[in-house]
């Protein structure tokens, strides 16, 4: 299955300050790839570049700022002359019932988890189309594959990422550009400690699944079932494949969750099939 090499491939990765993005960048560098990595702080970017001199570029990018994204992509192109792989990893976790989440909070969640990634894709695509090659990785989450009470807006943004990836795959096949949507499980990346909680918490939801899920997230740091370094290796396997998947799980919890939702949908389709087809015009 794994025949390709990532040696000398140029990889643009967003969100390398910590967690999975950091581990993926380090692994790719060990494999001989060239890495352009985005960070939140100048000191992080400088340290990364100095540590991997000649093989890496560290850039400060606010994923919500299109100008910063365009400047980062231009710097990558000026330095390495191409971009072979885009790993859209940057994101933020957010908790709150749909009713609790303000418009401002919802827009921020979508700006970081969906529109930011969309802007990076648009900036990179002209390069990949000209090359007639490339691979785009979109980082979704189990919460984006099926709705979770208390995770509604975050799940909606991640779900939008899945559908975007599926649409992109059809649009970009003619240019020999692969697209893979990763449904990520729960990993020990520290993200659970940085989750944004809706400020307008309503007492009405305290004893519902929303409240239970909030407590689960508050208590999970250090108990996450998956190792991000192993996730990086799983992603590397996909990048090396001659036939990469469009949709795939990263983590057994993600795999189980995907299977359960597909099974539930299939059951409901069968149960309501006669109602669904009842709309056909009479002869």
């Amino acid at each position: 299955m794994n025949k390709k090499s990532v040696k000398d491939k140029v990889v643009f990765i967003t969100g390398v300050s910590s967690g999975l993005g950091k581990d993926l960048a380090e692994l790719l560098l060990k494999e001989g790839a060239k890495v352009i990595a985005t960070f939140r702080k100048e000191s992080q970017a400088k340290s990364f570049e100095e540590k991997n001199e000649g093989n890496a570029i560290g850039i400060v990018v606010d994923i919500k700022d299109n100008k910063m994204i365009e400047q980062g992509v231009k710097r990558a192109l000026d330095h390495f002359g191409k971009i072979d792989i885009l790993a859209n990893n940057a994101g933020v976790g957010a908790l709150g019932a749909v009713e609790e989440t303000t418009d401002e909070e919802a827009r921020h969640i979508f700006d970081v988890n969906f529109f930011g990634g969309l802007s990076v894709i648009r900036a990179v695509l002209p390069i990949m189309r000209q090359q007639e090659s490339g691979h785009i990785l979109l980082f979704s989450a189990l919460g984006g594959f099926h709705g979770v009470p208390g995770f509604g807006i975050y799940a909606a943004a991640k779900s939008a990422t899945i559908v975007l990836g599926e649409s992109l795959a059809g649009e970009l096949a003619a240019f020999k550009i692969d697209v893979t949507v990763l449904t990520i499980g729960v990993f020990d990346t520290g993200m659970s400690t940085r989750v944004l909680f809706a400020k307008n918490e309503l007492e009405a939801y305290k004893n519902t699944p929303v409240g239970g899920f909030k407590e689960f997230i508050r208590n999970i740091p250090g108990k996450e079932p998956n190792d991000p370094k192993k996730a990086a290796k799983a992603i590397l396997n996909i990048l090396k494949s001659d036939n990469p998947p469009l949709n795939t799980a990263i983590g057994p919890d993600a795999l189980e969750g995907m299977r359960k939702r597909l099974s539930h949908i299939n059951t409901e389709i069968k149960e309501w099939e006669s109602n669904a087809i009842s709309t056909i015009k009479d002869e």
Side-chain angles (χ1 to χ4, degrees), residues 20 34 111 224:
L20 183 49
K34 312 296 184 184
D111 281 344
E224 297 91 342

Side-chain angles (χ1 to χ4, degrees), residues 237-282:
N237 289 337
I238 294 166
L239 293 174
K240 287 183 174 181
S241 174
D242 284 331
N243 186 29
L246 171 53
N247 280 292
T248 189
I250 301 294
D253 51 341
L255 184 63
E256 180 184 4
M258 290 174 76
R259 283 175 170 162
K260 281 184 176 180
R261 182 179 185 237
L262 291 172
S263 175
H264 177 73
I265 290 174
N266 192 49
T267 297
E268 288 201 324
I269 286 173
K270 289 179 179 179
E271 288 178 354
W272 288 86
E273 182 175 2
S274 61
N275 189 64
I277 65 176
S278 66
T279 61
I280 300 173
K281 285 184 177 181
D282 294 331

Side-chain angles (χ1 to χ4, degrees), residues 78-264:
D78 289 345
H79 190 87
F80 290 120
K82 63 175 183 173
I83 296 176
D84 297 299
I85 299 165
L86 168 62
N88 252 345
N89 166 70
V92 61
L95 269 173
V98 171
E99 185 183 359
E100 293 177 325
T101 309
T102 65
D103 286 351
E104 182 181 6
E105 289 169 333
R107 289 191 178 97
H108 175 70
I109 293 163
F110 264 83
D111 281 344
V112 176
N113 290 312
F114 179 76
F115 287 109
L118 176 60
S119 295
V120 180
I121 290 169
R122 285 175 171 159
V124 167
L125 272 183
I127 301 165
M128 290 186 171
R129 281 194 295 100
Q130 187 174 15
Q131 295 169 178
E132 290 195 338
S133 66
H135 195 164
I136 298 173
L137 298 177
L138 284 76
F139 286 60
S140 185
L142 180 54
F145 200 83
H146 67 80
V148 177
F151 233 14
I153 305 300
Y154 171 83
K158 288 297 187 180
S159 182
T161 297
I162 294 174
V163 180
L164 175 68
E166 292 174 346
S167 298
L168 273 174
E171 294 174 1
L172 301 180
F175 306 105
K176 300 177 182 177
I177 300 170
D178 292 317
V179 177
T180 298
V181 180
L182 306 171
T183 294
I184 310 288
V186 180
F187 280 82
D188 186 9
T189 62
M191 186 175 181
S192 55
T193 64
R194 301 188 296 272
V195 168
L196 303 177
F197 283 80
K199 294 177 182 178
N200 182 36
E201 290 196 74
L202 299 175
E203 186 68 23
Y205 287 101
K206 185 175 181 180
N207 295 319
T208 72
V210 172
F213 189 63
K214 287 179 181 179
E215 284 306 302
F216 170 76
I217 294 298
R218 286 188 176 104
N219 293 322
I220 202 173
K223 302 174 187 176
E224 297 91 342
N226 294 302
D227 182 345
K229 292 186 184 302
K230 291 185 176 181
K233 290 180 181 178
I235 293 169
L236 179 63
N237 289 337
I238 294 166
L239 293 174
K240 287 183 174 181
S241 174
D242 284 331
N243 186 29
L246 171 53
N247 280 292
T248 189
I250 301 294
D253 51 341
L255 184 63
E256 180 184 4
M258 290 174 76
R259 283 175 170 162
K260 281 184 176 180
R261 182 179 185 237
L262 291 172
S263 175
H264 177 73

